[in-house]
Amino acid sequence: MECRVLLLILTSLVLRSSGEHHMKQQVERRQSSNKDTPIVVANWCADDVYPAMLTQSGGGPTEHGLRLQSGENQTIYVSDDWQGRVWARTNCSFDDSGQAQGGSGSACSTGDCGGALGCQIAGAPPATLAEFTLHGGMDQTYYDISLVDGYNLPLAIVMLANGNSELEQMQGSKTNPSCVGSVGDLAPQNFDPYKNGQQFLGTSSNNPMPFETKTTSDDVEQWCPWDLQVDAPTAPGNGIYPYPDGNVQRPVFDPCLSACAKYSEDQYCCTGKYDGPSQCSTNYYAKAAKSVCPDAYSYAYDDQDSTFIIPEGAGFQVIFCPGRAGVDSLPDLLQAAHCQSCDSES
Ligand SMILES: *[C@@H]1O[C@H](CO)[C@@H](O)[C@H](O)[C@H]1NC(C)=O
Ligand SMILES: *[C@@H]1O[C@H](CO)[C@@H](O)[C@H](O)[C@H]1NC(C)=O
């Protein structure tokens, strides 16, 4: 019974357009907005990154941007009805007042928000996004990873149960989506993150992450369609795209625009006459993105499998460059995550 209701919610999560991403459903308002829900942003990348947050509704953090050196993390606090997104900017250079050097233009090569350290506007594509609706319908929290506007860095979301026993029971492989689409920090295929009893992304060997073992480092290095690379290497053949790739070495940091972000065509952006789940279908970018990050949204009306839905009350970690950790078979995982009580109740 409950299961069917939740599946209905899943089915109704289609109100979205690429501009606003897909967290567009109505959010119930609350009277009190104590900012006591933790979101830990962690930088596991080799370089500095500049995490950014944008608040769509509810009580956002005091600062909407910060710098994290490699290995650092910081906890920000939001209200329990917060709706917003988190991403990271790369290659930034700010002056002492937190503005782009010289006072105008971009401060970062990806994810830049008008040159400001604290973001008032969405980041420029491409940027891998973590999206949250903490207080969605029916006391549920929704979250997802979105590549709708493109991809810049690997990202994982790890649910924090926050002492809530119902959430504690769910915690683990079924609540932690991740997307690794860069080869730079990819672990070898036989990597065992649970060696010596270690935990990895909130999972342990008792409840291991179902690793994506089918993707090879070539897949991860070459998924971005050639024309959508931000810094496509100069190819031999004078401006003609090598096809398939002509074995041209790609840069280790190879941010990828979505077809919508690059060409702004209705067909790719699900706008105009393509605005609807049955009007808009996948495209060459979305297919490529899905092949390397099956947990993530790849276009505005992607299937619903990539939305994670859990009871309210959780906090989250957003980890940049989490290492190899793909999860496959999302429909099954969602079933398991959200229908734990279905058998006894139906
Ligand atoms: C945050 O930093 C602390 C202290 O260095 C560390 O113990 C913890 O594992 C870090 N958390 C994440 C998610 O990186
Ligand atoms: C830009 O940032 C990426 C990701 O942090 C890094 O790999 C790359 O080396 C940086 N490029 C430059 C020119 O600093």
Side-chain angles (χ1 to χ4, degrees), residues 125-243:
T128 315
L129 305 178
E131 302 186 297
F132 299 95
T133 297
L134 297 185
H135 183 55
M138 298 178 68
D139 298 329
Q140 305 287 311
T141 288
Y142 306 109
Y143 56 102
D144 64 51
I145 297 176
S146 170
L147 304 183
V148 171
D149 278 352
Y151 169 95
N152 66 343
L153 290 171
L155 183 155
I157 302 176
V158 176
M159 190 265 277
L160 299 172
N162 256 343
N164 173 318
S165 57
E166 189 184 357
L167 291 172
E168 262 161 21
Q169 281 176 16
M170 297 175 68
Q171 196 169 36
S173 54
K174 298 171 182 68
T175 54
N176 304 338
S178 86
C179 166
V180 178
S182 320
V183 80
D185 47 16
L186 195 63
Q189 256 171 321
N190 59 0
F191 170 62
D192 177 8
Y194 307 113
K195 206 172 51 192
N196 307 324
Q198 287 185 122
Q199 291 234 332
F200 182 72
L201 297 180
T203 62
S204 66
S205 54
N206 297 330
N207 184 15
M209 205 101 174
F211 284 102
E212 182 56 78
T213 49
K214 294 183 291 285
T215 47
T216 64
S217 28
D218 280 355
D219 298 335
V220 175
E221 188 187 7
Q222 292 169 13
W223 69 272
C224 180
W226 188 269
D227 57 314
L228 301 177
Q229 295 173 91
V230 172
D231 302 304
T234 318
N238 248 346
I240 298 160
Y241 296 135
Y243 186 76

Side-chain angles (χ1 to χ4, degrees), residues 12-48:
S12 66
L13 277 173
V14 292
L15 277 174
R16 51 197 198 213
S17 74
S18 59
E20 301 245 358
H21 296 278
H22 34 269
M23 284 282 177
K24 221 181 164 188
Q25 70 273 14
Q26 278 295 309
V27 178
E28 297 168 42
R29 301 280 166 178
R30 285 203 170 155
Q31 294 305 310
S32 80
S33 270
N34 291 333
K35 293 193 192 171
D36 52 12
T37 301
I39 305 222
V40 183
V41 285
N43 178 12
W44 294 8
C45 305
D47 302 294
D48 291 2

